[in-house]
Amino acid sequence: MAALNHIAILPILVPMAAVIANLLLGNLRPPSRVRLNLAFSVVLALVSILLLVALAQSDGHLAAVYPLGNWPVPFGIVLVADRLAAVMVLVTSILSLAALVYASARWHSRGTNFFPLFHALTMGLNGAFLTGDLFNLFVFFELLLAASYGLTLHGGGRNQVKAALHYIAINLVASFLFLIGVALIYATTGTLNMADIARAVPLIAPDDRGLFDAGAAVLGVAFLIKAGSWPLHFWLPRTYSSAAPPVAALFAVMTKVGFYAILRLWTLVFANSSGPELAFGQNVLLVLGLATISFGSIGALSSKALDRLASYLILVSAGTLLLAVGYNAPGVTSGALYYVVVATLAAGALFLLKDVIDQILPAEAQVLAVSLEIYGDEEEAADDVDEVSRTVPGAATLVSWCFAIAALIMAGLPPLSGFVSKFAMISAALGAGPTAATWWFIAALIVSGFLVLVAMVRNGINIFWTSLPDSDTPLVRTAELAPIVVLLALCVALALAAGPAMAFFTETAAFIHSPQGYVDVVLPREATP
Amino acid sequence: MPFLACILAYALQGRLSSGAVYVSGGVAALLFLITLLLFPQISAVGVLSHRIEWIPQLGLNLTLRMDGLAWLFCVLITLIGLLVVLYARYYMSPKDPVARFYALLLAFMGAMLGLVLSGNIIQLAVFWELTGLVSFLLIGYWYHRGDARDGARMALIVTGMGGLALFVAMLLIGHIVGSYELDDVLASGSTLVDSPLYPVTLILFLLAAFTKSAQFPFQFWLPNAMTAPTPVSAYLHSATMVKAGVFLLTRFWPVMSDSELWFAIVTYTGLATLIFGAAAALFQRDLKGLLAYSTISHLGLITTLLGMGTPLAAVAAIFHIANHATFKASLFMVVGIIDHETGTRDVRKLSGLRRFMPFTATFAIIACGAMAGVPLLNGFLSKEMFFTETAVFNPNAFVNLSLPIGATIAGMLSVAYSIKFVHGVFFGPPPTELDRVPHEPPALMRRPMELLVVVCLAVGIIPGITIGPFLASAVQSVLGADTPYYSLSVWHGFNWPLLMSLLAMLGGVVIYVPYYRRFRDVDGLPFLTRFRGQRIFERLLVNATNKWARSFIELFGTQRLQPQIFIVVLLALLAGVAAGWARMGNLPLPESFDPVLGLVWVLGGVSAIAAAQQARFHRLAAMILMGGAGLATCITFAWLSAPDLALTQLLAEIATTVLILLGLRWLPKRLPVPDDLTLRSRARRARDIGLAVLVGLGAALASYAVMTRGAPTGISEFFLANAYKQGGGTNVVNVMLVDFRGFDTMGEITVLGVVALTVFALLRRFRPAADSADRPEQQRLLDGSAEGQRLADDFLRIPALIMTWLFPVVIAIAIYMLLRGHDLPGGGFIAGIILSLAFILQYMANGTRWVEERLRVLPVLWIGWGLGLAMLTGLGAMALGAPFLTSAFAYAEIPLIGKIPLATALLFDLGVFALVVGATVLMLIALAHQSIRRPKPAGSAKPREREGLAKWN
Amino acid sequence: MELILAAAIGVLAASGVYLILRPRTFQVIIGLSLISYAVNLFILAMGRLRMDAAPILDGANANPADYVDPVPQALVLTAIVIGFAMTALFLVVLLAARGLTGNDHVDGKLD
């Protein structure tokens, strides 16, 4: 247990050490610097795996609780690594490793201080997932935001700066909302520890309850901004698509942080405090989720460039997750967790893929393809074309396969993991007894899947069939192709091992949906009256 | 059965293998043999099944289940697959990268087998999609052709939609029945039909089946799919894949067909398709197009049969599935041969080929006969059964009339286009417009086709022996116990059906003759050429993806910042009010009033509002006013017993101001212009003000409510009680920062460091706008001459001197602040800011160059060490086994300063101090440095590497 | 006293919000600073107001009842620092945007 506890903080400390190392060893030659950073990322990934394994093996609904400074809970800050947190941390670490490998090929040299910022972002993400303290959550949010600002601007041209301006402005407002929310919650509950808040909510004086709800609502808005919910997400596609590909890949996790925070607090604090605000909030989440998902999928339909498409896909997944949270049923949640992992990895891969494709294809070819599609090509009659297909260069074939896999996952088509997750969610929703919400839920998932399919097919055809240059084998670095392949391979593996994976997620969801268990783990007995 | 499973797997992964002809052929043959060998078992046992667990807890398993029906399909799939492979061997050009082709073909075979063998309905949906995906790749095999791309895309989108519909339908069925296992579903009897969800389920279900089997109105994708290589058309689009839809109907026929809804929809969709397809087939120039439409119409026929819901009809349907597969596949091969030999598939160019390729001709004629339903051929038998079924008396008068008549008309048409095929291609004068002389194809290319035709004959003449048993078992598996009696003999005596087919024969000829005279050059149905499904579809797609989606995004989204912020703030306000208003409780009136604070805030508030009003044109004024507000805030902090806050706020205030001052220079000059008084801008301003006021009210209300309530018993006592005993400091706030909540501080300083790095990285490539690129006139004025330079030095000399002397003092103050922080107001952050302000003073006094020459601080290193120190402090605790950041402390006497706490927290605070110094200095310097650069304005070439800044990283 | 502070928070917040809704980057940054004042005061207020009760203990034996709640102060301190950092960052980005787009409109479009 003690060992486990110390593992719990490492996902935060390792990246921090990486930041420090980068700062102190400023005059390191590029190759060795790259190696250093890769080493740190690898270690981080290992640590995360260790954490998850340790949690999975320790039986039942156990979460590692780590009191910082050894102060008694709830007074000091505490890290709580339950399975949910551990999974998110693992996803973050893997994705960051992949992105870092990718970046180490070219991108890191596009601007100053890439590596420290990158590790800082990882640190912020992991911290946000692990912490069990509301204000500490704020701090880590700020950390990951600050890092993300820096990375958005990385190698900044005009677009980056313009996008970043909006991004920063909106998120600064969001931070203020966050503070106000936290302040109100503290004012009414007198504590900052999440578990302790969950304990204190029933004890709030009836008069103060309104204040508490207001604070929670404001906090919720702050989270929704992070989660990329409609109509608070307009900054997102622009920011993501203008950020450097490896950065964008890691950003794929960032919206999930919002989702995580909502899920955690929602299930922990509100789900058990039954009242009007429960149903209300639930409906709000459902509606927002629907709006987001439709906006995202239609946006995907409208987007011609792959990076934009990917950004909208991020929105689609965000909407799906909001729906799942709003549905507030363990079965659906477990499906959603599976979905988070898959969607995040696939989206990250897609962002990287986009960059590779840009290397293979001249941009004007893609533009031509698009116009060709819109206006048709009269000059090309069917007969005068030889009925001999082309041999596709090897690298391009691999890339196209990656694209196909990513497309299948994103559209949730069988037989890949995207399909499994949707199947899990829908069947759980049906199993929970169909209500009006169920039909909306199913319709949203299916229709969005269809639209995404159409969008992906269009782009795929335009990229690989219309404008693939003949015969010349384009140069693609292995260091850039490998991470993509690995990420997608993971998704496929998840589909094959769907059985055990779903079992794991089911337990996780069960734990999330029984807040008392969480509270008991975090708070020592005497603290809970 | 597991044996078959592994073969199936092999077929699937054949996709990856180099997929030579022999591999694929071998696999196909092997599968075929296995299937054949399995028949005895099937006929004996009825159902074989084998299960592989996938996601048991969701009831989703990989179940392979073979019964008569599945067996029949397996035979079709494998046999025709085998033949097609052989055929393609000669059809495909040697230059083609055939590996991909065969691999895909194999993959399809695997998917199709999986589809017909799946014993789990979800798995069925899975393989269903797979067939769609593979066929997409096969249709698009010649992807350099625009029409191939469009055809492929259309096929995928239409069938993909169907697949998703099927997925939902299956989920619903599973939900109703309570299991996803096919056995359970088939055993469920009338549960489905009775369930309230039946209609929606049925609709989705049929949507899937109809899209796949190209039923009206979804038929349009099939002709466009003909852009695929002919073997593919023969295999997928006549024999197997398009049969998947009717397979589905047959599969679920027992449990779903027993309802009026089913009858109405299925039968008449089928009938419509039947007639439409036949008619359209007549008006095709392209032979493949003709076959495609005839396929559609035949599928329609099968659908109609299934729709009628009588057992005998089902028998006929199954029978016709097999028949159609055989003769249509062979005909496609014929077309392929013709295309291959003559280089065209256009009926007008072709004629009289009988002389050049007699064998092909004969076989083709026979096959066509089967298609038309000529006696002694298999087509005839199933068509007879069809007519019989339609002729059965039905109480509903409309049905009673429409079915037989429609059937007869369709019969005529199909005869007509069969004649067209034969007559148009093989008879008449020798072809004139051909660029080469056609001749018989290589024997092996013919064999497959010939074999199939032979089958047609065999079945047609001696059905009882050839197909009887197989058909029987298939029918058994569908109908189960209540299998009716049916006879497969050729001659049923003179009755209605016979009359109808005779009518059809004659009618066909009668139709064809005038057609041949008048319409032979018409392409596409004369009265339908206007809107073709394809056109509509393409338009729809293009519009949907370009115009509509775009406008939707513009309607519900925005790229501009102001609306976004507006929405955010508004939403936050609404959320807060909506959630809070209900149980806000009552607000007591203020009891105490404090004149001084009141006065302070009269000023503060006024300056805030004034700042808001001034910020547009008078930046400096706005800043000073803002400073006023800030000052008021500081005073309030001090007043309300928060000295640390007051200090920190003040210093942060100063630092910010300095930064903004340094930055102002790069903003464009603004002269107050009379702001536009258009109604619109006025309205917007009013709207913003309104929102602002509301937010202000909300915030004020909330805070007032909180302040007038009693505090809950929270965590605060603990800190007050233990700050000294366990934290070793009397300044509780500071103890919290460096100890109780040291982790926050660690994160916070990381943020500061990260921001500093970002700022630095950004300023490295800073490009001022053109109009502010040249230096401000003050500078130009000064360095115009040595005179000016001296002047500058003079009027800054005294302050420079003072500040240089001041430097050490400030440093001393900073250190003092740092050390006392634990007990009295002060601490790392405050000290850090003070120190960095000292540097700024130097900048102001002695100019950037002077400082940069003398400065010994390397900010990035300071940041690094600061973070490092903080972290090491924490790790130290870990080394001792305690959790991260556990603190220990002791007191030490130091002369002159007095008793100071030597807590590990102090080290931590030292780290904070170092980092703050580093970060702040880095930002200030980076910004200040811009003033001595000669930066190129934006849009010009890359700015040259700057020695000045190179020092800092 | 509470009333005054509440009013102050309200005024600061209102003028800040008005400013961040303006189209000029400089207005936005001023607005953000004003809002940050408001938020800091707001957080402080959450600890209820006490005068002359600074949380600086005299000696070991201190009675918690004599001191104001220190938690909000700690939070505000963190908030101030972060706010300072963010303001600086936003300022620089704003400058860069002005440099690259040639004007100081938030959307970078020409007036």
Side-chain angles (χ1 to χ4, degrees), chain B residues 477-694:
Chain B
S477 67
V478 177
L479 300 179
D482 56 358
T483 309
Y485 164 80
Y486 60 90
S487 81
L488 286 176
S489 65
V490 180
W491 178 253
H492 293 280
F494 190 84
N495 52 12
W496 266 109
L498 193 61
L499 185 61
M500 284 163 75
S501 31
L502 289 179
L503 238 121
M505 294 293 163
L506 300 177
V509 184
V510 173
I511 293 178
Y512 180 69
V513 175
Y515 163 83
Y516 183 70
R517 300 259 164 66
R518 310 246 326 278
F519 295 105
R520 71 172 302 184
D521 286 350
V522 181
D523 192 15
L525 281 173
F527 46 90
L528 280 180
T529 35
R530 298 234 141 271
F531 59 61
R532 301 189 9 237
Q534 175 193 7
R535 284 282 168 66
I536 300 170
F537 179 85
E538 290 291 338
R539 280 293 113 214
L540 201 68
L541 189 64
V542 170
N543 284 335
T545 50
N546 296 304
K547 288 208 208 71
W548 302 342
R550 214 42 94 48
S551 48
F552 177 90
I553 294 300
E554 274 150 18
L555 187 59
F556 290 95
T558 173
Q559 284 302 325
R560 291 168 44 241
L561 180 59
Q562 292 150 273
Q564 297 188 41
I565 293 186
F566 187 86
I567 293 173
V568 170
V569 177
L570 182 65
L571 236 64
L573 182 65
L574 289 182
V577 172
W581 194 257
R583 289 183 276 173
M584 184 50 96
N586 55 344
L587 296 175
L589 287 172
E591 63 280 356
S592 73
F593 183 81
D594 183 330
V596 185
L597 193 66
L599 185 62
V600 169
W601 272 110
V602 168
L603 298 178
V606 168
S607 51
I609 296 172
Q613 189 263 334
Q614 287 294 320
R616 185 160 177 216
F617 297 121
H618 310 97
R619 299 209 181 89
L620 204 54
M623 254 186 53
I624 295 161
L625 290 165
M626 183 188 90
L631 203 59
T633 316
C634 297
I635 297 172
T636 320
F637 282 145
W639 198 267
L640 298 173
S641 47
D644 283 279
L645 268 56
L647 259 175
T648 318
Q649 180 80 61
L650 186 63
L651 291 167
E653 186 64 34
I654 297 170
T656 317
T657 316
V658 174
L659 277 173
I660 297 185
L661 279 177
L662 285 170
L664 269 185
R665 173 225 187 294
W666 303 106
L667 286 176
K669 300 191 175 54
R670 287 211 157 278
L671 305 174
V673 295
D675 44 0
D676 52 350
L677 295 178
T678 64
L679 201 59
R680 205 145 163 290
S681 69
R682 273 220 194 119
R684 241 185 60 234
R685 197 161 305 161
R687 184 196 67 188
D688 295 351
I689 292 177
L691 180 64
V693 170
L694 285 180

Side-chain angles (χ1 to χ4, degrees), chain A residues 229-285:
Chain A
S229 150
W230 190 87
L232 307 171
H233 68 249
F234 301 130
W235 51 272
L236 193 145
R238 193 170 173 185
T239 312
Y240 279 35
S241 50
S242 64
V247 175
L250 193 50
F251 279 10
V253 189
M254 282 208 317
T255 52
K256 309 303 184 295
V257 180
F259 156 75
Y260 168 85
I262 294 173
L263 178 63
R264 168 73 7 122
L265 287 176
W266 177 263
T267 50
L268 191 57
V269 177
F270 292 98
N272 62 346
S273 79
S274 62
E277 77 277 1
L278 178 65
F280 177 71
Q282 206 168 335
N283 293 336
V284 169
L285 279 180

Side-chain angles (χ1 to χ4, degrees), chain B residues 11-93:
Chain B
L12 271 170
Q13 50 143 298
R15 162 192 301 139
L16 301 176
S17 77
S18 72
V21 190
Y22 304 105
V23 178
S24 38
V27 173
L30 199 51
L31 285 168
F32 180 54
L33 289 182
I34 293 161
T35 321
L36 284 187
L37 294 181
L38 279 169
F39 179 70
Q41 277 173 278
I42 297 288
S43 49
V45 187
V47 175
L48 299 172
S49 73
H50 172 73
R51 170 175 307 179
I52 307 160
E53 300 275 313
W54 189 18
I55 313 178
Q57 64 268 43
L58 294 178
L60 174 48
N61 300 314
L62 227 59
T63 313
L64 294 172
R65 176 182 180 284
M66 181 182 254
D67 58 5
L69 184 63
W71 184 86
L72 191 66
F73 271 87
C74 283
V75 172
L76 288 180
I77 295 162
T78 47
L79 173 60
I80 298 184
L82 176 58
L83 299 178
V84 163
V85 167
L86 291 179
Y87 175 72
R89 158 87 176 72
Y90 293 89
Y91 178 84
M92 301 304 282
S93 143

Side-chain angles (χ1 to χ4, degrees), chain A residues 435-489:
Chain A
T435 63
T438 316
W439 303 125
W440 283 109
F441 186 63
I442 296 177
L445 287 193
I446 294 302
V447 173
S448 72
F450 176 62
L451 294 183
V452 171
L453 171 69
V454 176
M456 291 300 254
V457 169
R458 277 183 60 234
N459 282 271
I461 287 183
N462 289 342
I463 292 168
F464 294 106
W465 282 2
T466 311
S467 48
L468 198 58
D470 296 341
S471 68
D472 62 339
T473 48
L475 291 174
V476 182
R477 296 175 183 70
T478 328
E480 294 188 331
L481 214 44
I484 303 173
V485 174
V486 170
L487 286 179
L488 293 174

Side-chain angles (χ1 to χ4, degrees), chain B residues 159-355:
Chain B
T159 54
M161 180 175 67
L164 288 171
L166 180 67
F167 173 45
V168 181
M170 289 307 168
L171 278 164
L172 289 173
I173 292 177
H175 173 64
I176 297 168
V177 176
S179 156
Y180 293 122
E181 289 302 319
L182 186 55
D183 296 325
D184 309 352
V185 175
L186 291 181
S188 68
S190 67
T191 333
L192 271 172
V193 183
D194 302 341
S195 125
L197 292 178
Y198 174 71
V200 54
T201 315
L202 182 66
I203 300 298
L204 291 167
F205 177 81
L206 292 181
L207 188 63
F210 290 169
T211 45
K212 200 75 157 184
S213 286
Q215 293 301 295
F216 189 83
F218 302 108
Q219 81 289 354
F220 54 84
W221 69 266
L222 189 52
N224 293 291
M226 288 304 149
T227 51
T230 304
V232 175
S233 320
Y235 190 29
L236 272 64
H237 305 124
S238 72
T240 54
M241 190 180 91
V242 288
K243 293 293 196 315
V246 284
F247 169 78
L248 193 67
L249 294 178
T250 329
R251 194 29 108 196
F252 287 82
W253 189 85
V255 283
M256 293 189 81
S257 65
D258 186 15
S259 76
E260 275 306 309
L261 195 56
W262 169 285
F263 176 78
I265 300 177
V266 180
T267 311
Y268 283 101
T269 314
L271 201 59
T273 319
L274 172 60
I275 297 172
F276 172 84
L282 189 53
F283 291 92
Q284 292 293 319
R285 285 182 207 156
D286 181 356
L287 284 178
K288 273 180 91 173
L290 185 151
L291 289 185
Y293 276 107
S294 96
T295 308
I296 291 176
S297 86
H298 278 275
L299 289 168
L301 187 155
I302 299 169
T303 313
T304 323
L305 280 167
L306 287 167
M308 288 190 242
T310 60
L312 271 174
V315 178
I318 299 171
F319 189 28
H320 194 70
I321 289 175
N323 295 339
H324 174 256
T326 46
F327 64 70
K328 190 51 64 69
S330 56
L331 279 175
F332 266 106
M333 293 180 180
V334 170
V335 172
I337 291 175
I338 294 172
D339 189 7
H340 196 265
E341 295 304 324
T342 65
T344 177
R345 301 194 306 250
D346 191 329
V347 192
R348 293 166 307 169
K349 297 186 187 165
L350 294 167
S351 68
L353 290 183
R354 174 166 46 89
R355 299 179 192 71

Side-chain angles (χ1 to χ4, degrees), chain A residues 340-363:
Chain A
V340 171
V341 178
V342 173
T344 313
L345 294 181
L350 203 55
F351 275 113
L352 299 183
L353 204 54
K354 172 255 168 193
D355 190 38
V356 174
I357 289 172
D358 284 351
Q359 294 176 53
I360 297 181
L361 291 185

